[in-house]
Amino acid sequence: MRLRPKPALVLITADWCMYCRMQKNQLKKNRELQRALSQVYFTELDAETTGEVVFNDKTYRFFPTGVATGRHELAFALGEIDNRLSIPTWVLLNEHFEIIFKFPGVIKASELSRLLESLGKNLE
């Protein structure tokens, strides 16, 4: 991202989340997302991944919250609203890794298309 700066769209998910699976299936069919990928990075972040992730020169780790459960620090850092993390959560970062948009929940295909369309216009 540092070599080719552009905004990043992050979808924070979890394996057990049926809404996340529904959202991911919707993304596969979304032509606007496929076109927008030339102007924006897109990634999915599993909120319960146990591996370390280095982001913006800081290492984030898994934080256990009980027996065989927990959350990843990066997912919480990016997606928390009022000290809570909803699954799924959408996060849009600018090219300087600053959060410019958060949306907890499922985004309808039409809303995602509008978001990507407005993002594309702002990048041109």
Side-chain angles (χ1 to χ4, degrees):
M1 286 180 68
R2 288 190 175 146
L3 295 176
R4 291 195 170 123
K6 57 184 175 178
L9 185 60
V10 180
L11 175 59
I12 301 172
T13 65
D15 288 340
W16 50 262
C17 174
M18 69 175 192
Y19 295 108
C20 299
R21 285 191 293 271
M22 181 179 71
Q23 189 80 88
K24 289 187 269 187
N25 285 333
Q26 174 188 312
L27 291 175
K28 290 176 186 174
K29 301 173 189 173
N30 192 306
R31 291 186 184 131
E32 284 83 7
L33 176 64
Q34 303 310 315
R35 284 192 290 268
L37 290 179
S38 65
Q39 298 175 328
V40 62
Y41 292 109
F42 173 75
T43 191
E44 180 186 334
L45 174 60
D46 182 346
E48 298 175 329
T49 189
T50 56
E52 292 185 354
V53 176
V54 177
F55 176 75
N56 206 17
D57 297 325
K58 182 176 178 186
T59 302
Y60 294 87
R61 294 174 177 81
F62 179 76
F63 179 76
T65 58
V67 178
T69 187
R71 68 173 187 232
H72 200 276
E73 293 173 323
L74 179 57
F76 190 78
L78 292 176
E80 72 88 16
I81 298 173
D82 296 328
N83 208 32
R84 293 188 53 142
L85 178 62
S86 296
I87 304 293
T89 293
W90 290 88
V91 181
L92 182 61
L93 305 168
N94 68 14
E95 59 275 2
H96 304 290
F97 309 114
E98 299 165 332
I99 296 169
I100 57 175
F101 172 81
K102 287 184 195 181
F103 182 83
V106 174
I107 293 182
K108 295 179 185 175
S110 59
E111 294 168 341
L112 180 59
S113 295
R114 282 196 299 273
L115 171 66
L116 294 169
E117 185 178 302
S118 65
L119 180 62
K121 288 178 184 176
N122 289 333
L123 295 173
E124 291 174 352

